[in-house]
Amino acid sequence: MPANPQTLAPTVPITSLRSPAIARELDALLQAPSLADAITSVSAGLIAWATPSLRPDAQSALELSVSTARMPTPDGEPLGAPGDEAGPFGRAARLAALAFGADHAVFGVNGSSGLNHLVARVLAMAPEPHVLVPVNTHHSLLDALTDTGVAFSRIGANYIPDFEALEPPTITDVEAAVAAAGSPVTAIVLSSPTYEGLHADVAGVAAVARRIGAALVVDAAWGSHVPFMEGGAPIAAGADLVVTSLHKTGGARQQNALLLHRDGTVDWHDVRRAGATVTTTSPSYPMLADIDATVRWLLTEAADAFAHSAALVRRFATALRDRHGDLELLGGQVGVDPLRVTIGALGRRRLTGYVVSDRLVSRGVVAEKRGSQAITFIAPLTLTREAVDATLEALEVALAAGAPDVAHLPAAASPFADADLKPALSAEVVRLLVGAGRVERVVPGDAIGRISAYRTELYPPGIPLLLPGFRVSAGAVGALAEAGETASIVSTGGDWDGRVAVLSHE
Ligand SMILES: Cc1ncc(COP(=O)(O)O)c(C=O)c1O
């Protein structure tokens, strides 16, 4: 189990933010026509000499162009455009913000990845930005910080080898990173819940951020359902900016995401300015309407659907504990996200997550994430009792011990145990060196201690093992070697060929 169960406390209940006035506003917004209704209301009989020029078979009442902005809806107001603070788009954004306890929301149609790039642009507006990021930060935010030239240092965190899972950093971890930062910290990032469903102490870290005058950003890509079932919301706990993938667990179509903003440390106008630099001039109305529809569904019907899936997850976890008590299980228990289960310590049966996953796939069962020691299942909203029972049967075969001649695989130490928390070279210098061709490709063992040229990671989870400008650690090299051929290794330096690209300036 996690070493720091105190970090797993639920966050502040979202309903506590809903003053009677906010609750009334939410109700009124819910009663107003949805974004889809507003868009389709102006499309009937429209003669559009404008883009999009769609294939005849792709026509739909929702597929209008931004040039419809001046078309009046039945209420007489113009349809307007995304980014408006009033009208149908403004109301949809306001509804989304209030639903999550925020003051403002930005609709994202390129996942949390796209919104993390927007966040980095906001953070880059600080005079001398220095951001603290936990080691479990997703590559999208790290790439974005690198691209925008924002200096960052990493916050160490506890690793649970049996589940190959990083816990969110504790307050002590954050305080240590602040003390070691060397220059004023302008923002702190948390990733919560984690891929395996562990929650950070957002309120505790928010207090640290307030004390040092830094903004708190929470990457809640995995938590769009959380405010609507567990009663916790990172904004309510004190985050200034929150990114969440509505499409992962919140019921939206793929790519749809939200950026939530709370008035205070981060200026809303900075968010709008940053958004303007990364937003398409040809928005997809079907996607935006789907975000609005999802928010409405989250506010009205989602709780039952989530509770249904959570009950099935508990059934799955209980059966796994009964049948496979020699393995470790994260899920179906207090303190872990109710929609997921990780089976760990597979080395005890001379198995890996990759082997178990392949065996499951051959029986028509696909799990979200697999690694050397663990495999993670995430419950979809369509999960049925029959599917749970069929998965348990498939696991009876898939978890049968591996070949007797395969050595017992102990859980490896943290790939981040000896990772440098600060870069050896700035992103700027790395860019210049890479541009000048000062890159060597060496076997992993020879890369230890050298400076990485690119970001390299196992995918999933998309948490970088090597970062440009950071020294290559023995732990990272060990993790890459252990993953071997079975894992998908992704590098920004091109196709992974088993060698590590290091800078050759030293
Ligand atoms: C912590 C975290 N942040 C961001 C992302 C990116 O999310 P999206 O797929 O919505 O772009 C992921 C993806 O898995 C993630 O795990």
Side-chain angles (χ1 to χ4, degrees), residues 313-331 340-344 349 375 377 388 391-396 399:
V313 165
R314 284 195 300 278
R315 175 186 169 84
F316 185 49
T318 305
L320 286 171
R321 286 198 167 90
D322 287 351
R323 296 183 190 191
H324 305 286
D326 58 318
L327 299 176
E328 297 291 332
L329 207 71
L330 191 62
R340 55 201 117 183
V341 168
T342 299
I343 307 175
R349 289 203 187 169
I375 181 162
F377 299 80
V388 169
T391 305
L392 287 166
E393 288 321 303
L395 277 167
E396 285 300 307
L399 288 173

Side-chain angles (χ1 to χ4, degrees), residues 110-114 116 136-140 191-193 195 219-222 243-248 255-257 368 459 461:
N110 189 22
S112 289
S113 300
N116 274 336
N136 69 343
T137 303
H138 188 255
H139 70 232
S140 54
S191 201
S192 177
Y195 216 147
D219 180 340
W222 285 105
V243 166
T244 193
S245 297
L246 279 183
H247 68 88
K248 284 193 192 301
Q255 293 190 207
N256 276 339
E368 169 73 30
Y459 196 88

Side-chain angles (χ1 to χ4, degrees), residues 11 73 79 83 85 88 95 111 130 208 215 290 426 483:
T11 45
T73 62
L79 177 64
E85 301 230 302
L95 180 67
H130 184 172
V208 177
D290 180 68
S426 71

Side-chain angles (χ1 to χ4, degrees), residues 15-29 94 98:
T15 43
S16 73
L17 261 198
R18 292 207 185 126
S19 63
I22 295 282
R24 274 196 302 278
E25 190 181 346
L26 258 176
D27 273 349
L29 287 165
R94 178 75 179 152
L98 295 188

Side-chain angles (χ1 to χ4, degrees), residues 468-482:
F470 283 73
R471 287 193 190 278
V472 177
S473 70
V477 164
L480 288 170
E482 191 176 296

Side-chain angles (χ1 to χ4, degrees), residues 247-294:
H247 68 88
K248 284 193 192 301
T249 54
R253 294 210 157 81
Q254 284 286 82
Q255 293 190 207
N256 276 339
L258 279 178
L259 171 62
L260 304 159
H261 167 263
R262 195 170 63 88
D263 284 330
T265 309
V266 175
D267 189 337
W268 169 236
H269 296 288
D270 286 350
V271 179
R272 280 175 67 85
R273 274 199 298 144
T277 65
V278 292
T279 302
T280 174
T281 49
S282 313
S284 161
Y285 285 1
M287 290 185 77
L288 299 174
D290 180 68
I291 294 179
D292 179 54
T294 301

